[in-house]
């Protein structure tokens, strides 16, 4: 199954949408009529650095996401689900048919104005530790005005609160074991936190007059981590709540994985969500079990070619004697084992360890075989640096989660 995901605020940059404005001129003109200014000029030229302001950034991201969705409809297969991170949820709902492009853009423009009016706050990402450690650290240091605003991945959370409190606890988290970074987020207020409640209330009043159509494709709600229901009132209420409640992105992706989604495609100007999805997916997968994998390989790649499909259901602790193997078969098994594992195996080894489990246990005591078996497992993390936090930050930079400037800032903070 396939899910298309849309990024939110923080992904804006000069030049966004450059390859698509000319391809979809009608969408550009419709955006200009709603906004009252040139969206193409804003995105490509970024006059007076307006993309750093919430009131301009949110409409720009919504329009560029819509351009990518228009391209996807022509170039890509249909989706089974949509999801969007924070602001990106409006792009997902537009793609699913909840409202037309102009209605969505009008909502986003008003949402940005209301959120931009809440000042005195900021957001910062904590990278490298669990939710429990983040919560305990905030509690132990009486950071009562700071909350988790985004549950982005099992070891990445965005905090929201006053600038003063975030500045105070930055040094605190710098001393917490495992923390790889405390990085400011490119927003102008304490989004997805109780301080946004007045904006959420005013936005709820606006939403009451908006028609919400039936969704053609399920969309996952940031607030619940579950699909929006068919009730238009519920959709409107969750959109209002989202302004002041945390984004549960990890729950969204886990729900989609459990629903059978294996193909996630990010539509937009970044690969930040792609990186987060990879982290969430990796955290769900158990660590590789070399013994179990080797037993299955013995059955599938060594026994099955000699005795047929009976090997696949053969008890791993049962003796090969039950199969009635003769000395010639043991020689063949040894040769095949050597070919499969890439190391020499003598026939008497197979004969002496006459079960899949016993043979696997013996083989894993041999360094040459253990290394060959381990080579089938996913590659280990990079180890160029002794400090794992530096390695992790460089990886985040490489996959687009952190910008170069913010990566340098985080590494300097570690030093």
């Amino acid at each position: 199954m396939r899910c298309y995901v849309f990024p939110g605020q923080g992904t804006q940059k000069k030049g966004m949408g450059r390859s698509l404005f000319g391809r979809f001129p009608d969408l550009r003109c419709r955006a200009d009529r709603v906004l009252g200014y040139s969206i193409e000029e804003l995105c490509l030229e970024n006059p007076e650095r307006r993309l750093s302001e919430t009131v301009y950034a949110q409409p720009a991201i919504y329009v560029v996401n819509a351009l990518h969705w228009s391209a996807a409809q022509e170039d890509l297969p249909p989706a089974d689900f949509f999801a969007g991170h924070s602001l990106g949820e409006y792009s997902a709902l537009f793609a699913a048919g909840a409202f037309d492009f102009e209605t969505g853009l009008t909502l986003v423009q008003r949402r940005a104005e209301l959120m931009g009016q809440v000042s005195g706050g900021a957001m910062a990402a904590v990278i490298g530790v669990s939710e429990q450690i983040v919560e305990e650290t905030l509690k132990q240091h009486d950071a009562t005005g700071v909350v988790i605003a985004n549950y982005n991945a099992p070891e990445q959370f965005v905090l929201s609160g006053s600038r003063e409190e975030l500045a105070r606890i930055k040094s605190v988290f710098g001393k917490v074991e495992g923390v790889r970074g405390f990085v400011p987020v490119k927003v102008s207020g304490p989004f997805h936190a109780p301080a946004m409640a007045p904006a959420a209330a005013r936005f709820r009043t606006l939403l009451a007059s908006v028609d919400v159509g039936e969704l053609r494709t399920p969309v996952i709600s940031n607030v619940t981590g579950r699909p929006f229901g068919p009730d238009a009132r519920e959709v409107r209420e969750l959109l209002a709540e989202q302004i002041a409640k945390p984004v549960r992105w990890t729950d969204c992706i886990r729900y989609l994985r459990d629903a059978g989604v294996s193909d996630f495609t990010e539509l937009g100007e970044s690969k930040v969500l792609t990186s987060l999805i990879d982290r969430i997916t990796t955290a769900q997968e158990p660590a590789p079990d070399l013994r179990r994998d080797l037993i299955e390989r013995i059955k599938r790649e060594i026994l099955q070619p000699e005795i047929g499909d009976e090997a696949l259901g053969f008890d791993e602790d049962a003796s090969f004697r039950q199969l009635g193997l003769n000395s010639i078969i043991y020689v063949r098994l040894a040769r095949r084992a050597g070919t499969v594992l890439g190391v020499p195996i003598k026939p008497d080894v197979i004969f002496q360890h006459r079960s899949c489990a016993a043979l696997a246990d013996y083989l894993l005591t041999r360094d040459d075989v253990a290394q060959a078996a381990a080579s089938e497992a996913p590659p280990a993390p990079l180890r160029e640096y002794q400090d794992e936090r530096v390695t992790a930050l460089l990886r985040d930079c490489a996959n687009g989660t952190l910008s170069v400037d913010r990566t340098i800032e985080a590494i300097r903070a570690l030093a």
Side-chain angles (χ1 to χ4, degrees), residues 356-405:
C356 295
L359 181 58
D361 289 338
Y362 164 76
L363 293 174
L364 287 172
T365 66
R366 288 179 48 170
D367 289 341
D368 54 354
V369 178
Q371 290 173 6
S375 68
E376 299 295 321
L382 298 174
R383 294 189 177 88
E384 286 90 339
Y385 294 87
Q386 292 182 347
D387 192 329
E388 294 180 358
R389 297 174 297 175
V390 173
T391 300
L393 286 168
L394 292 174
R395 187 185 301 112
D396 290 339
C397 181
N399 62 30
T401 303
L402 293 179
S403 67
V404 173
D405 290 343

Side-chain angles (χ1 to χ4, degrees), residues 12-305:
Q12 68 271 17
K13 61 180 180 179
K14 181 179 178 179
M16 59 195 293
R18 185 179 301 278
S19 64
L20 295 173
F21 279 110
R23 183 173 169 184
F24 301 102
D26 178 64
L27 202 65
R28 179 195 64 205
C29 293
R30 290 158 64 189
D32 289 351
R33 285 196 294 269
V34 172
L35 297 172
Y37 57 80
S38 170
I39 188 64
E40 184 174 14
E41 180 185 5
L42 172 64
C43 292
L44 302 189
E45 304 301 329
N46 191 20
E48 300 177 16
R49 302 179 64 85
R50 288 177 179 170
L51 286 175
S52 62
E53 301 175 34
T54 295
V55 69
Y56 289 103
Q58 291 194 14
I61 292 167
Y62 174 85
V63 172
V64 172
N65 283 353
L67 291 171
H68 281 279
W69 166 236
S70 297
Q73 288 179 284
E74 294 183 359
D75 304 336
L76 299 176
D80 300 291
F81 290 92
F82 293 116
H85 189 281
S86 187
L87 168 67
E89 193 167 85
Y90 289 80
S91 301
L93 288 167
F94 160 60
F99 36 69
D100 60 29
F101 171 74
E102 285 87 350
T103 299
L105 182 54
T106 300
L107 286 173
V108 166
Q109 184 180 33
R110 184 56 179 151
R111 177 183 188 264
E113 291 170 353
L114 291 171
M115 295 176 72
Q117 291 170 6
V118 180
S119 59
M123 303 177 78
V126 178
I127 304 168
V129 292
S130 67
E131 174 187 348
Q132 180 181 358
I133 291 176
V134 173
E135 293 281 15
E136 288 177 353
T137 302
L138 293 174
K139 183 177 181 180
Q140 290 170 2
H141 294 272
D142 297 320
T144 55
V146 177
V147 299
I148 297 179
N150 294 356
Y151 295 78
N152 281 343
E155 291 188 348
Q156 182 172 324
F157 304 89
V158 176
L159 306 182
S160 186
S162 71
R163 294 185 182 278
E164 294 75 18
E165 277 291 84
L166 287 174
R168 180 177 71 85
I169 64 170
K170 179 178 181 179
S171 60
V172 171
F173 276 101
K175 299 174 184 176
V176 174
E177 183 178 357
V179 171
R180 301 195 299 267
F182 190 94
V183 185
V185 178
K186 294 189 293 182
V187 295
S188 59
F191 300 163
H192 304 294
M196 302 301 295
R202 290 193 288 272
F203 194 55
R204 183 177 288 107
T205 301
L206 172 64
L207 283 165
S209 61
V210 174
D211 290 330
V212 176
E214 182 177 352
L215 303 183
R216 296 188 295 266
T217 304
V219 177
I220 309 303
S221 164
N222 285 187
V223 174
T224 65
R226 296 292 183 272
F228 283 98
D231 188 344
R233 289 175 297 179
E234 177 194 1
V235 176
R236 288 192 288 263
E237 180 59 27
L238 288 174
L239 287 177
E241 289 184 12
Q242 189 225 65
I243 292 178
K245 287 195 173 183
V247 172
R248 299 192 174 276
W249 187 246
T250 299
D251 289 345
C252 292
I253 300 306
R254 285 177 172 166
Y255 174 87
L256 288 164
R257 290 278 294 177
D258 290 344
V261 174
S262 58
D263 186 350
F264 292 89
T265 301
E266 183 170 358
L267 302 180
E269 294 290 307
S270 80
K271 294 302 176 187
V272 170
L273 297 185
T274 301
S275 174
L276 294 178
I277 291 168
D278 287 344
R279 292 185 181 198
I280 296 166
T281 301
T282 301
Q284 283 185 285
E285 296 174 350
D289 184 338
L290 295 183
R291 181 177 185 271
R292 171 57 48 197
D293 290 346
L294 187 53
I295 288 173
E296 293 303 317
R297 292 187 70 193
I298 290 170
K299 289 183 178 182
R300 185 179 65 253
E301 300 178 45
I302 299 174
L303 272 184
Q304 186 185 15

